[in-house]
């Protein structure tokens, strides 16, 4: 199928990594694109040295464990001769297999013992490679938990299916320019999204920074205590978290840790006028979410809910999981959003609060239109904003 082969080459040339960089950040386990002859066309996530330099006969060809499955037609998960978990998923167009998404190349907890049964001396003689390099490459092989293997399998399946759809649509286009423009348009949109997300992840209210530094200066002047040291460390960690990543997914646990530092600093500023409570179950903390999603909502609660009240108030953050959906709620007992602010948010205007609209758009881009932010309550008794994400981050509604 010559037209389809050309489409596969165009897809690779269109910088396929950029198209899937968002979900590729979910995993650090190997993933590569290979043709039906066993040639590795593109490594989306690099393979371990042991697989690249020891197992493969050539660097751009898959190892014999994969090659034999091409001939037999075996697909899905398998364990190689050295005990490593692997995956091989077909890319099909009109019932013809054009290539594969493959990878994994890690030990599960059940197969890890096979790492210590590898005959290093035999490999040295067979590959004419130094023992030290073989030993180091074996020791660097990862052992991962079952849930991480499952997530990576879903990621591979998602990419294989989407490449198949892309190729099918490309083949069906009568005019090849339409396919080319479609790819270029998607790449441009992805670049715009990445740039916007990068800008959003770097946004933090400058008033907060100035007020915090003034607070630290006052404390340092009046007392020599561990409080000052703790505040400085919290601020340092907070800024480092904001700046170290672009739009990669983080665990909910790391987001909550970031929020705890933010609220600790604000507590030093507001003292008894601010109380807060965080109740997120441990089983939810391992799920992933775009960085800097919770913090803008908490800051809005502080600005519009707590600050205007003479006696201050309380911010509560809690989460629950039901029907494969996670709901993170940020509630305060303040005065609610001012009517003009609430109206602008509901009308989707972009000059309100600290990134409410952009945060909502980021969530929808990752997970689909049925996920994102929702103001479930805003009145004289306070406000509640929810963040809705799926438990399976790859699936879209």
């Amino acid at each position: 199928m010559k037209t389809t082969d050309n489409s596969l080459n165009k897809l690779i040339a269109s910088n396929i990594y950029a198209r899937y960089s968002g979900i590729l950040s979910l995993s650090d386990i190997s993933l590569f694109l290979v043709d039906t002859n066993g040639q590795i066309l593109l490594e989306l996530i690099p393979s371990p040295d042991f697989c690249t330099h020891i197992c493969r006969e050539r660097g751009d060809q898959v190892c014999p464990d994969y090659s034999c499955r091409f001939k037999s037609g075996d697909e899905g998960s398998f364990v190689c001769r050295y005990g490593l978990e692997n995956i091989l998923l077909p890319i099909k167009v009109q019932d013809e297999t054009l290539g594969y998404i493959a990878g994994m190349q890690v030990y599960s907890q059940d197969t890890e013992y096979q790492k210590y049964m590898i005959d290093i001396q035999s490999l040295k003689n067979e590959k004419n490679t130094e023992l030290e390099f073989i030993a180091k490459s074996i020791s660097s092989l990862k052992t991962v938990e079952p849930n991480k293997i499952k997530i990576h399998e879903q990621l591979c399946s998602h990419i294989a299916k989407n490449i198949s759809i892309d190729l099918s649509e490309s083949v069906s286009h009568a005019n090849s320019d339409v396919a080319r423009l479609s790819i270029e348009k998607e790449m441009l949109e992805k670049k715009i999204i990445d740039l916007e997300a990068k800008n959003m992840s770097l946004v933090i209210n400058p008033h907060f920074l100035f007020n915090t530094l003034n607070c630290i200066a006052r404390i340092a002047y009046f007392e020599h205590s561990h409080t000052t040291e703790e505040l400085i460390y919290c601020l340092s960690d907070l800024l480092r978290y904001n700046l170290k990543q672009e739009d990669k997914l983080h665990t909910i646990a790391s987001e909550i840790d970031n929020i705890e530092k933010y609220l600790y600093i604000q507590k030093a500023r507001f003292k008894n006028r601010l109380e807060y409570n965080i109740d997120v179950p441990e089983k939810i903390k391992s799920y992933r979410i775009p960085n800097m999603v919770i913090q803008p909502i908490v800051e809005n609660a502080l600005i519009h809910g707590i600050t205007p009240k003479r006696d201050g108030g309380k911010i509560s953050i809690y989460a629950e999981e039901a029907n494969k959906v996670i709901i993170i709620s940020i509630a305060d007992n303040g005065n609610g959003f001012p009517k003009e602010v609430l109206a602008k948010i509901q009308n989707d205007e972009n000059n309100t609060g600290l990134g409410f609209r952009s945060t909502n758009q980021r969530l929808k881009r990752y997970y689909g239109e049925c996920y994102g932010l929702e103001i479930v309550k805003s009145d004289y008794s306070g406000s509640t904003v929810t963040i809705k994400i799926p438990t399976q981050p790859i699936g879209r509604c």
Side-chain angles (χ1 to χ4, degrees), residues 165-184:
I165 293 171
D166 287 341
L167 292 176
S168 297
E169 291 176 350
S170 179
V171 170
S172 65
H173 283 310
N175 186 344
S176 61
D177 287 340
V178 176
R180 178 178 59 80
L181 290 172
S182 177
I183 291 173
E184 291 177 353

Side-chain angles (χ1 to χ4, degrees), residues 271-288:
K271 299 190 181 300
N272 294 334
R273 293 184 61 225
L274 173 63
E275 299 293 333
Y276 62 89
N277 177 62
I278 299 176
D279 182 16
V280 177
E282 288 297 323
K283 65 178 182 178
I284 290 179
K285 289 183 177 180
S286 61
Y287 291 109
R288 291 181 176 270

Side-chain angles (χ1 to χ4, degrees), residues 14-22 24 44 187 190 194:
S14 71
N15 194 356
I16 191 173
Y17 180 84
R19 302 179 69 188
Y20 294 104
S21 61
L24 287 173
L44 296 166
M187 291 176 62
K190 178 68 172 63
D194 287 346

Side-chain angles (χ1 to χ4, degrees), residues 188-198 247 365:
L188 181 60
E189 288 176 345
K190 178 68 172 63
K191 188 65 176 177
I192 292 171
I193 290 170
D194 287 346
L195 288 172
E196 182 178 350
K198 180 178 180 180
D247 199 32
R365 286 174 186 141

Side-chain angles (χ1 to χ4, degrees), residues 200 203 255 258-259 262-263 289-306 315-317 328-332 337 345 352-363 372-377 383-388:
M200 275 307 304
V203 170
E255 278 285 293
N258 185 56
I259 292 303
Y262 171 79
L263 287 172
I289 192 171
N291 68 321
M292 289 295 290
V293 165
I294 302 176
Q295 195 267 347
I297 311 307
V298 174
E299 183 152 359
N300 271 320
L302 191 64
I303 292 171
H304 299 299
I306 306 303
I315 295 175
S316 299
I317 303 169
I328 303 172
S329 300
I330 298 93
D332 66 75
F337 288 100
I345 292 175
T352 60
L354 188 68
F356 191 99
R357 175 177 176 268
S358 296
T359 301
N360 189 38
Q361 288 180 339
R362 288 175 63 205
L363 289 167
L373 302 181
E374 181 183 0
I375 301 175
V376 297
K377 172 193 168 186
S383 299
T384 301
V385 177
T386 61
I387 301 169
K388 181 181 178 183

Side-chain angles (χ1 to χ4, degrees), residues 270-275 301-302 305-315 332-335 380-381:
F270 286 91
K271 299 190 181 300
N272 294 334
R273 293 184 61 225
L274 173 63
E275 299 293 333
L302 191 64
I306 306 303
T307 302
K309 291 186 68 175
R310 179 179 178 181
D311 297 329
K314 182 177 182 179
I315 295 175
D332 66 75
N333 61 352
N335 295 325
Y380 65 91
S381 64

